[in-house]
Amino acid sequence: MRERITFIHEAEDAFSPDQLQVRNDTLHINSLGAAREDRLTFSPHELPQELWQVLKQCHELHIRWVSSNPYSSILPFVSRASPGLNLFFTPRQNRSVDQLCPLLQKIFGLHLKCSTPQDTFTGLPMVSERFATSSAFQYHQLLPSLAELKSYVQQKICSASDLSCHAKAVALHSADYLDIDYDAISQSLVLSVFRHASPSSGIWDETLRKVVGSANIEVGILANEKPTEPERLSLGGFLTVIGEDTKPTPTLFSFPSRHHLSPQDSGRTYHTTFTRPTGLHPTLRLTFRSPLMTPPSSTCALHTYLTLPSHIFPDKYQLSDPLFLASKNLRSVRSVAGETDLEAPDWVIQKWGSALLVELAPPSSDIQSTRGSGPPESWHADIPLHLRYLRPSAGGITEVEVPWPVVFWACTAEEGSKMSVNPFDRVNLGYDGLFGPKT
C-alpha cells in the first residue's frame, strides 16, 4: 500500500518547519491548523477477494461520498459533489456485474436501494464519443455516515494487529468527503479522504509512523502561493518522505487545475429552499445574496446540478420551453438523465432517481446598473420539480430528503488537455463529464 498525506494551511497562517520533527520512521506534527487529504493506493493482492472479483468486471468504478454537513474548502480541494453516495461506473465488455449491488450493500449498508446495475443504475449522457470523459452509468443514494464502511475496513482489510489500519478506519467518521477510484488499466484502487480540519480541536497534533515492512509515506505541508497564470495553482511548503528523509525539504510547484475558488463577487454564497406551499409540484429556489454576479471570465456560465432521488423528478417537457425558463431565471437545460416517468408512483420506480444540469440566467450588467447606488438586492432562480406518490404511512405524513444542489461556473479552459497532470485532480463528479474537455 502506498500512502500520501497532504496538509494545506492558509497562506497567512504562520508555519515553521520547527513544527515538524523527523525521527527514524516517524514524523511528529505540532499545532498545525490545516485541511488534510489522505490518499491510499492498493494493489489487487491487498484487497479482499470479494472486492477484487467485482472490480475485475469493471472498466472503471468511481465512488464519491459527501457528508451532508457543511464544510469549508481550500484550494486545491474545492470541487463539490452531491451529498450522499455517488457512484459512476463502466462495466468491462461482455462481463456480468450482478454482484456489484450486493457488495455495495455489504460495504455501505443493507438499506441501499440497489438490485442490479441494469435495474437500478441510470445512463449518463455522452457529450461526444470522441471526447468521452464520463462513465456509462450513475447511481446515488442518500447516506448520512460511513459507519458500515468503517466496520468493513476493520473486518476485511485490517489485520487484528495493525493498529494504524484500525485508526484510519475509525477516522472515516470525520470525513467531509471520500473518493474511491478503480480503473482496469492501472488495476489499482485509490481511496482518498478529505477533512477540512482536525475533528477534535481543529488543530493537528499527531505522530505519523511508517510501519515496518511497509512503503514509505509521503507527507506535504503546503500553502497556496500566487499562481503564475490564471488557470494554474501554485503550492509551496515542505515535503517529507517518512522512512527516507531526515528533515523536511522545501518545495514550490505549480500545475493546471480544472477547479478554482470563484471570486467573492461571482456568487460564492447562495441559499436554497423549497417555496411554500410545496404541494405535489415543489419549486426549488436558489437565492443569491447580491445581483452583482461578476463571472470569473467572459467565457463562464453559471450552472446548477441537481441529484434527485426517485421520489422527486423534473419534467423535461416543461423545461423545454424557452419562455418558461426565462421566467424562472433559467437559461437552458443542459442535461436531464434518469427516471423521469411523469405518472409512476415511487414504489414502482426501480431506478435510483434522476440528475439535472441547468444553466442559470443571472441579471445582466445593464439591469444591475439601473438599480442605482442603494444596497444590492438578492436574486433567485426557480427550478420546478414534481413529487411522486409515496407509499401510505401509518401517520399519514412521510418526510423525504433531497441532496443540496451544486452551483458552479463553467468556463472555457486553454489548458484543458493538461489538467490530468494535477496531482490533486478530481473528476467523475456527475456534471464534469457533461462538458467538453476544455472546461
Side-chain angles (χ1 to χ4, degrees):
M1 180 186 73
R2 302 195 306 274
E3 185 172 0
R4 187 188 80 188
I5 304 174
T6 306
F7 296 91
I8 305 288
H9 63 87
E10 296 289 353
E12 60 269 20
D13 291 346
F15 173 78
S16 167
D18 293 337
Q19 292 173 250
L20 307 176
Q21 286 86 44
V22 183
R23 297 189 182 94
N24 299 324
D25 289 342
T26 65
L27 171 65
H28 186 70
I29 300 173
N30 296 303
S31 303
L32 177 62
R36 170 175 176 168
E37 184 203 53
D38 290 70
R39 178 169 294 195
L40 308 175
T41 302
F42 299 88
S43 57
H45 73 273
E46 296 173 304
L47 301 173
Q49 192 61 219
E50 61 183 357
L51 175 56
W52 174 235
Q53 290 302 319
V54 171
L55 292 178
K56 286 196 298 184
Q57 314 308 318
C58 303
H59 176 69
E60 60 177 329
L61 178 67
H62 308 283
I63 293 174
R64 305 283 180 263
W65 178 85
V66 182
S67 171
S68 57
N69 298 320
Y71 65 90
S72 57
S73 299
I74 187 172
L75 289 167
F77 305 116
V78 295
S79 61
R80 294 281 176 155
S82 298
L85 181 69
N86 304 273
L87 184 144
F88 306 97
F89 158 73
T90 302
R92 298 188 71 173
Q93 192 172 8
N94 302 322
R95 297 293 182 93
S96 171
V97 285
D98 289 345
Q99 291 305 306
L100 177 56
C101 280
L103 180 65
L104 290 174
Q105 291 167 337
K106 189 171 185 178
I107 294 176
F108 293 103
L110 295 175
H111 65 282
L112 292 189
K113 179 183 177 180
C114 190
S115 54
T116 66
Q118 182 178 3
D119 293 335
T120 310
F121 292 12
T122 57
L124 275 167
M126 184 178 295
V127 177
S128 166
E129 290 188 8
R130 181 181 177 187
F131 299 111
T133 57
S134 62
S135 303
F137 299 100
Q138 177 180 9
Y139 171 79
H140 176 271
Q141 175 80 50
L142 289 165
L143 187 68
S145 80
L146 294 174
E148 296 295 330
L149 174 61
K150 182 204 76 170
S151 298
Y152 183 86
V153 170
Q154 290 180 320
Q155 295 171 12
K156 297 292 185 176
I157 297 179
C158 299
S159 65
S161 60
D162 192 345
L163 300 181
S164 175
C165 182
H166 284 274
K168 289 182 175 67
V170 171
L172 291 174
H173 83 278
S174 63
D176 294 311
Y177 68 73
L178 172 141
D179 295 347
I180 299 175
D181 294 280
Y182 170 82
D183 67 86
I185 298 175
S186 69
Q187 292 201 337
S188 61
L189 185 141
V190 180
L191 185 147
S192 304
V193 180
F194 173 80
R195 285 165 282 179
H196 73 279
S198 171
S200 55
S201 61
I203 302 297
W204 300 100
D205 276 297
E206 66 175 282
T207 298
L208 303 174
R209 180 174 286 102
K210 174 185 176 296
V211 178
V212 176
S214 66
N216 295 337
I217 303 174
E218 300 177 9
V219 181
I221 314 291
L222 306 170
N224 283 280
E225 305 284 346
K226 186 176 181 180
T228 56
E229 300 174 33
E231 293 184 11
R232 300 179 73 86
L233 299 179
S234 293
L235 295 175
F238 298 88
L239 299 178
T240 305
V241 180
I242 304 176
E244 180 178 315
D245 294 340
T246 58
K247 63 179 180 179
T249 303
T251 186
L252 176 64
F253 59 100
S254 66
F255 45 86
S257 176
R258 73 182 80 242
H259 299 291
H260 292 260
L261 200 60
S262 61
Q264 288 284 4
D265 60 354
S266 63
R268 188 185 299 181
T269 302
Y270 63 95
H271 175 73
T272 185
T273 187
F274 283 103
T275 59
R276 299 287 182 176
T278 53
L280 285 173
H281 307 282
T283 296
L284 179 69
R285 172 164 291 180
L286 292 169
T287 302
F288 297 84
R289 292 184 178 179
S290 170
L292 305 177
M293 301 281 289
T294 305
S297 78
S298 60
T299 67
C300 299
L302 189 63
H303 292 77
T304 185
Y305 183 73
L306 277 63
T307 305
L308 303 171
S310 60
H311 50 253
I312 190 167
F313 67 97
D315 181 350
K316 58 185 177 183
Y317 304 104
Q318 180 186 34
L319 296 174
S320 63
D321 183 350
L323 292 179
F324 177 79
L325 292 177
S327 70
K328 305 295 184 182
N329 285 332
L330 309 176
R331 181 157 288 127
S332 64
V333 174
R334 295 289 301 269
S335 173
V336 181
E339 186 56 76
T340 57
D341 188 301
L342 299 179
E343 304 296 336
D346 188 51
W347 61 83
V348 304
I349 298 296
Q350 291 188 321
K351 302 293 185 183
W352 66 267
S354 57
L356 175 67
L357 176 65
V358 181
E359 182 180 343
L360 307 181
S364 66
S365 57
D366 293 338
I367 295 177
Q368 294 173 14
S369 64
T370 63
R371 296 180 183 270
S373 57
E377 302 173 6
S378 64
W379 74 279
H380 61 262
D382 288 340
I383 303 175
L385 300 170
H386 305 271
L387 274 174
R388 299 190 184 280
Y389 289 110
L390 305 175
R391 287 188 183 277
S393 63
I397 297 176
T398 301
E399 291 188 358
V400 294
E401 295 180 278
V402 179
W404 192 275
V406 178
V407 176
F408 60 94
W409 293 94
C411 312
T412 301
E414 294 299 325
E415 294 193 83
S417 61
K418 302 177 183 178
M419 298 298 184
S420 59
V421 303
N422 178 350
F424 308 101
D425 195 26
R426 191 171 184 234
V427 293
N428 296 289
L429 302 171
Y431 53 85
D432 52 326
L434 302 176
F435 297 89
K438 289 192 172 183
T439 307

